[in-house]
Amino acid sequence: MSENATFQIHYFSTASAYTGKSTERLPAPLPVARLFDVLEERYPGMRKAVLGSCGLSVGDEYVDLDAELGVGQSSEGRVVIKEGEEVAVIPPVSSG
């Protein structure tokens, strides 16, 4: 892995409005369990305003955030975002 290894993160809807960006690059590798901490450091208040109710995908796969963030009994997963991967922060979709 190179010294400047990164992954690309895409922000949609409220996540994009909060960050003022639609995409940016972050250092890789990064465990999904640490991603929200990194985003909170960059964008104070983002965890409560956006991340608490969003979904997350790494590549083409949705991530089980409860498992990754240690909510409940599950300790499965432990997804690590690797160099070159694409991550999407997806706010909840309303129906009606």
Side-chain angles (χ1 to χ4, degrees), residues 34-95:
R34 282 273 305 129
L35 176 62
F36 285 11
D37 294 335
V38 169
L39 292 175
E40 180 68 20
E41 289 168 15
R42 287 175 167 258
Y43 307 104
M46 186 176 184
R47 184 186 308 270
K48 183 177 180 183
V50 178
L51 300 176
S53 61
C54 73
L56 189 78
S57 68
V58 177
D60 294 331
E61 299 290 324
Y62 277 95
V63 174
D64 180 349
L65 290 175
D66 287 344
E68 293 302 316
L69 302 176
V71 176
Q73 302 299 324
S74 177
S75 61
E76 295 177 24
R78 305 302 173 237
V79 174
V80 175
I81 305 164
K82 298 174 188 72
E83 178 179 6
E85 288 195 296
E86 293 197 12
V87 173
V89 177
I90 307 162
V93 178
S94 62
S95 62

Side-chain angles (χ1 to χ4, degrees), residues 2-52:
S2 70
E3 188 175 307
N4 296 319
T6 62
F7 67 91
Q8 188 161 346
I9 186 164
H10 301 276
Y11 303 110
F12 297 95
S13 186
T14 54
S16 178
Y18 199 90
T19 63
K21 301 174 180 179
S22 60
T23 188
E24 71 179 313
R25 294 201 164 276
L26 297 176
L30 181 68
V32 165
R34 282 273 305 129
L35 176 62
F36 285 11
D37 294 335
V38 169
L39 292 175
E40 180 68 20
E41 289 168 15
R42 287 175 167 258
Y43 307 104
M46 186 176 184
R47 184 186 308 270
K48 183 177 180 183
V50 178
L51 300 176

